[in-house]
Amino acid sequence: MNPGCPNSGCNYFQKNTFCKKDGYYLRKDDSRQIQRYKCSACSKKFSRATGTLEFGQKKRRINKTIFKILSSGVSMRRSAIILGVHRTTIDRKLVYLAQKSRQMHADLLLKIGTQKVERLQFDDLITTEHTKLKPLSISVAVDARSRVILGAFVSQIPAFGHLASLSRQKYGKRKSYHRESMIKLFEKIAPVVSSHAEIKSDEHRIYKEVVREFFPNADYKQYKGEKAMIAGLGELKKNGRDPLFAINHTCAMLRANINRLFRRTWCTTKKPKRLEDHLAIYIAFHNSVLLS
């Protein structure tokens, strides 16, 4: 079927009533022959690529490869070296793949919404913005039965522990947006979670308040944090049976597959927005590839 006219000023905008084939052109970046079209009403010429996220890209061949390696513990600069492209290309591909991944995730949530999630687990992953004095929190929710990642949001939090006073001296008082991030997460996943679902988390002080706000009839259980299996690796626990295994294992996979989340790494997040983009790519890869 012919695509609709992309000209918003045309009387037949997004309609294919007067759109006819108008030859072909050879797309150099992937050696494909692309059909051209012309709207007889406004004389606008276009193709099937017009209006897509990939429109105007010069290196389409590497899109799928970047999608895989950015979800496999490889840094952006090392990705550029491996693929023989400039690091600016990788940065632009990160933004493009994040947009596409969010579309994939939205489609997945629509499918899940028809069945509803009955067992939900959620937690926060702590990382940094350039320095340990500027921590970030990643709020993550998963379906405990299928291990599908339902959502993840990044929020700024103040430094804590022995670094708190040093952080205030160097960067001033740092506001916490953790609660706002949790509300965004629950607003996103609420349509796909059963109102009587079994929800589990640790004993963070704001969790119960947020859960009761969105799921007042849910069977909500909180568990005390346990010792890590390996020192410094808080995601996987030492005890034989972990009641929060699904979320802890998912957070461990995030640590293992997103380079900027490694415990010991030279790669750090300079912009929280880019961390959100990288998370969106990994979530799409996790749900569509690793769980398939």
Side-chain angles (χ1 to χ4, degrees), residues 248-265:
N248 287 331
H249 189 272
T250 300
C251 288
M253 292 188 72
L254 290 173
R255 290 260 187 225
N257 291 293
I258 298 179
N259 189 276
R260 66 182 79 206
L261 295 183
F262 288 3
R263 287 287 185 182
R264 296 183 178 182
T265 178

Side-chain angles (χ1 to χ4, degrees), residues 217-236:
N217 299 318
D219 179 18
Y220 180 49
K221 300 175 182 177
Q222 290 184 292
Y223 297 88
K224 187 177 180 180
E226 298 178 0
K227 286 187 177 181
M229 185 169 58
I230 303 172
L233 185 64
E235 285 74 33
L236 297 179

Side-chain angles (χ1 to χ4, degrees), residues 125-165:
L125 190 72
I126 304 300
T127 184
T128 59
E129 178 187 352
H130 180 64
T131 168
K132 288 184 178 180
L133 300 180
K134 298 165 71 177
L136 298 171
S137 177
I138 305 174
S139 303
V140 186
V142 300
D143 179 353
R145 183 170 294 169
S146 64
R147 289 180 49 223
V148 168
I149 301 177
L150 300 175
F153 282 87
V154 178
S155 59
Q156 171 185 294
I157 58 174
F160 50 89
H162 66 284
L163 296 175
S165 59

Side-chain angles (χ1 to χ4, degrees), residues 124-291:
D124 285 283
L125 190 72
I126 304 300
T127 184
T128 59
E129 178 187 352
H130 180 64
T131 168
K132 288 184 178 180
L133 300 180
K134 298 165 71 177
L136 298 171
S137 177
I138 305 174
S139 303
V140 186
V142 300
D143 179 353
R145 183 170 294 169
S146 64
R147 289 180 49 223
V148 168
I149 301 177
L150 300 175
F153 282 87
V154 178
S155 59
Q156 171 185 294
I157 58 174
F160 50 89
H162 66 284
L163 296 175
S165 59
L166 183 59
S167 175
R168 287 192 295 270
Q169 290 174 18
K170 192 167 184 179
Y171 297 106
K173 191 172 181 180
R174 187 172 165 88
K175 189 175 180 180
S176 175
Y177 295 98
H178 182 214
R179 191 179 188 283
E180 290 83 345
S181 178
M182 290 297 303
I183 291 174
K184 286 181 182 178
L185 176 64
F186 275 78
E187 284 177 345
K188 183 177 181 179
I189 67 174
V192 303
V193 178
S194 171
S195 59
H196 295 84
E198 178 190 68
I199 302 178
K200 295 181 179 180
S201 72
D202 61 23
E203 295 180 336
H204 194 287
R205 58 186 178 83
I206 73 166
Y207 284 174
K208 188 172 184 178
E209 175 188 350
V210 176
V211 170
R212 290 306 176 201
E213 181 180 343
F214 286 90
F215 301 102
N217 299 318
D219 179 18
Y220 180 49
K221 300 175 182 177
Q222 290 184 292
Y223 297 88
K224 187 177 180 180
E226 298 178 0
K227 286 187 177 181
M229 185 169 58
I230 303 172
L233 185 64
E235 285 74 33
L236 297 179
K237 304 305 178 182
K238 192 172 184 179
N239 289 350
R241 187 180 181 283
D242 180 11
L244 301 175
F245 176 80
I247 184 63
N248 287 331
H249 189 272
T250 300
C251 288
M253 292 188 72
L254 290 173
R255 290 260 187 225
N257 291 293
I258 298 179
N259 189 276
R260 66 182 79 206
L261 295 183
F262 288 3
R263 287 287 185 182
R264 296 183 178 182
T265 178
W266 286 340
C267 299
T268 59
T269 294
K270 303 299 188 296
K271 297 179 180 179
K273 176 61 179 171
R274 288 293 174 267
L275 173 57
E276 286 188 343
D277 290 342
H278 207 152
L279 283 166
I281 293 170
Y282 176 76
I283 289 171
F285 181 81
H286 179 94
N287 292 339
S288 64
V289 179
L290 298 183
L291 298 184

Side-chain angles (χ1 to χ4, degrees), residues 27-32 34 60-61:
R27 192 162 61 196
K28 292 182 179 180
D29 56 300
D30 60 359
S31 301
R32 290 186 61 188
I34 306 301
R60 296 169 188 252
R61 295 179 190 270

